[in-house]
Amino acid sequence: MKPAPFKYIVARSIAQALALKAEYGGDAHFLAGGQSLVPTLNFRLTQPAVLIDINPLIECAGLKNSVSETVLIGALTRYGKLERDPAIAKNLPLVHEALPHIAHPQIRNRGTIGGNLAHADPASEMPAIVLALAGRLRAQSRTAERWIAAADFFAGALSTTLEPDEMLMDVELPVARPRSGSSFMEVSRRRGDFALIGVACTVELDAEGNCVQAAVALCNAGETPILAVDAGRSLLGRPLDAAAIDQAAALIQTAIDPGGSIHASKDFQRHLAGVLTKRALTAANERVQRAH
Amino acid sequence: MLTDSPAPDTHVIAVAVNGVDYRRTVGSRLLLSDFLRHDLLLAGTHVGCEHGVCGACTVIFDGVAVRSCLMLAAQADGHAITTVEGLAPGPDELHPLQAAMRECHGLQCGYCTPGVLMTMKAFLDETPAPDEAQIREALSGNLCRCTGYQHIVEAVQLAAAQLRKSSP
């Protein structure tokens, strides 16, 4: 229950952090909040040769909004800050609703949005949320930077498409639009535990009440966070009545292949995915209706 | 692993714990929880699960409650920490939270208590008049196997009332 030996280097600038990552590549891990990394170090599931502590890079933390359609969140922004930020509640209601489900208050005080996404735990909440919101992630290396669509970011369980010399810098999420609604729901055994299944959804209706945008994403429903593309598409061009929502839930139940565990069989997870999809879409639809 | 790794990787850190400045040399893989207990001999911080689930090792780091088992001692360089030893105002006095825990029977074995106290200290600083649901939410990251939480919740309610009364 103690980490294996490693070399600990404090990065004093972004340039230094990127140079170190370029030098050590896959042998080095960035240490952000450490709320996922340090447990895996303690269990010796991860034994990196080098830890690059990026916590002093305060320029990587905080909301850096520049345009009105999107919110740009520095990768080192801690969940506790997002939770207390009225701009998140106003502009990113889906994120605001999900935050209390992300682990416990003490974990949220240290854990960062970038670290959480780069850890890419399929049971974690935020990966599913950036998928549902069709967010973008900015990665930087010593020589280049690029934007990665959330849908292209998660490669497998605990694995992303970040290159060994890249650092995740920013998370860009779209501001909730006027005739839109969203909902996050999960079932876990205890408050703060990983979800047995979680569902994040967004919908947008036109003036006639027909759905013009819908996205449903799930946590802990497979090897990666899952964006249920077919279910989202099935909702387009029609009102979100019970028949439409039931059909989307059924599509999700057949599409996912959850892993099952001692706490929930695959069948139970599939059942939960259906129930939560129905409830979350119904809630999101009601929120659009209520707001207008 | 680095093939050329020579002597253990060590770092000199300066850290303020309960208002006292310490300067120590620590190995890079030393956890903050073990640093507090073994290097500073502040064994009030308890170690339960060492993977961030139980909350027994909670300390206040730069004003917010964190798990000391999920931080490295080297990361504390230049920061301020409060442990349960720093809670009481004096040797013969209890903090209102500690007094309320005794009054309400908020502990039995006491193993989780330091973590509960530090979590609730930071919580009441931010939320001086919490309702029961808020207290239970804030307690969700601290496992207690004895009390069933009811008496802890009552203690926090009592302490919150005491603190409100004593603050102008």
Side-chain angles (χ1 to χ4, degrees):
Chain A
M1 296 301 289
K2 311 292 180 193
F6 54 81
K7 186 173 166 62
Y8 170 83
I9 307 175
V10 182
R12 299 292 174 191
S13 68
I14 294 174
Q16 187 195 358
L18 296 175
L20 286 164
K21 198 73 171 85
E23 181 183 350
Y24 293 107
D27 289 337
H29 281 312
F30 287 121
L31 173 60
Q35 303 301 289
S36 300
L37 177 58
V38 179
T40 66
L41 295 177
N42 288 357
F43 278 124
R44 302 200 178 192
L45 298 171
T46 310
Q47 299 194 15
V50 177
L51 279 191
I52 305 167
D53 185 355
I54 56 171
N55 282 281
L57 308 182
I58 50 170
E59 63 270 40
C60 295
L63 263 56
K64 317 173 188 173
N65 218 14
S66 50
V67 286
S68 56
E69 292 86 25
T70 58
V71 178
L72 193 64
I73 305 171
L76 201 61
T77 309
R78 300 187 199 279
Y79 279 136
K81 293 273 186 220
L82 294 179
E83 211 177 349
R84 293 165 176 82
D85 192 327
I88 294 293
K90 178 172 174 285
N91 294 321
L92 299 173
L94 181 61
V95 173
H96 179 73
E97 186 178 22
L99 278 165
H101 294 281
I102 301 174
H104 306 112
Q106 298 99 322
I107 303 274
R108 296 197 293 274
N109 282 338
R110 284 299 294 172
T112 67
I113 186 169
N116 186 198
L117 293 172
H119 185 62
D121 190 324
S124 191
E125 288 83 357
M126 197 55 69
I129 286 164
V130 297
L131 278 178
L133 291 174
R136 295 197 306 160
L137 307 161
R138 187 170 73 87
Q140 196 174 332
S141 72
R142 202 171 44 156
T143 52
E145 72 153 21
R146 64 182 174 128
W147 284 94
I148 308 169
D152 299 326
F153 185 74
F154 302 102
L158 309 183
S159 157
T160 71
T161 54
L162 284 172
E163 296 296 332
D165 64 342
E166 282 181 322
M167 179 158 120
L168 179 58
M169 305 301 294
D170 293 301
V171 182
E172 185 191 66
L173 299 173
V175 170
R177 289 159 60 88
R179 290 191 53 82
S180 71
S182 64
S183 177
F184 181 86
M185 292 184 183
E186 71 173 42
V187 170
S188 59
R189 294 189 76 231
R190 286 174 300 248
R191 186 65 160 175
D193 279 11
F194 280 112
L196 301 178
I197 284 285
V199 173
C201 71
T202 65
V203 300
E204 186 177 345
L205 306 182
D206 64 15
E208 280 76 48
N210 290 317
C211 179
V212 291
Q213 181 276 330
V216 186
L218 296 100
C219 28
N220 211 12
E223 286 281 290
T224 61
I226 306 286
L227 181 64
V229 178
D230 288 345
R233 201 174 287 144
S234 76
L235 296 164
L236 297 179
R238 57 198 288 197
L240 296 179
D241 53 20
I245 288 173
D246 284 355
Q247 187 193 351
L251 280 170
I252 282 171
Q253 286 181 306
T254 51
I256 61 171
D257 184 21
S261 71
I262 56 165
H263 301 306
S265 67
K266 283 170 188 263
D267 285 346
F268 182 51
Q269 284 182 292
R270 196 169 276 123
H271 169 77
L272 285 178
V275 172
L276 290 181
T277 298
K278 285 184 207 176
R279 288 183 187 170
L281 281 171
T282 304
N285 183 45
E286 282 170 5
R287 286 169 182 176
V288 188
Q289 310 288 357
R290 248 207 320 273
H292 294 275
Chain B
M1 299 298 302
L2 286 182
T3 49
D4 58 346
S5 64
D9 186 42
T10 61
H11 302 267
V12 177
I13 63 168
V15 56
V17 181
N18 303 327
V20 179
D21 290 327
Y22 296 90
R23 196 178 169 82
R24 291 285 190 281
T25 300
V26 297
S28 56
R29 67 187 180 123
L30 182 68
L31 299 174
L32 179 57
S33 46
D34 288 333
F35 171 74
L36 294 169
R37 290 173 57 82
H38 303 304
D39 290 51
L40 302 189
L41 302 178
L42 296 172
T45 298
H46 289 174
V47 170
C49 70
E50 292 195 319
H51 61 284
V53 171
C54 77
C57 69
T58 302
V59 300
I60 298 177
F61 186 91
D62 289 348
V64 297
V66 304
R67 314 276 205 223
S68 60
C69 76
L70 296 189
M71 288 189 66
L72 305 172
Q75 288 186 278
D77 183 32
H79 294 275
I81 297 167
T82 308
T83 68
V84 71
E85 288 91 345
L87 200 52
D92 300 319
E93 248 181 304
L94 292 178
H95 183 277
L97 264 168
Q98 293 170 310
M101 288 284 274
R102 186 171 69 178
E103 177 71 22
C104 298
H105 303 279
L107 63 147
Q108 288 175 34
C109 86
Y111 201 84
C112 71
T113 309
V116 169
L117 287 169
M118 301 320 285
T119 302
M120 290 300 107
K121 165 75 168 72
F123 169 66
L124 290 182
D125 285 347
E126 191 179 350
T127 317
D131 60 29
E132 184 183 333
Q134 286 174 305
I135 295 171
R136 288 185 180 275
E137 171 73 26
L139 264 178
S140 67
N142 293 80
L143 294 184
C144 173
R145 306 284 79 170
C146 302
T147 63
Y149 302 97
Q150 188 57 40
H151 291 180
I152 300 178
V153 173
E154 287 168 13
V156 175
Q157 285 169 323
L158 176 63
Q162 294 289 345
L163 286 162
R164 284 200 302 275
K165 218 185 303 175
S166 61
S167 72

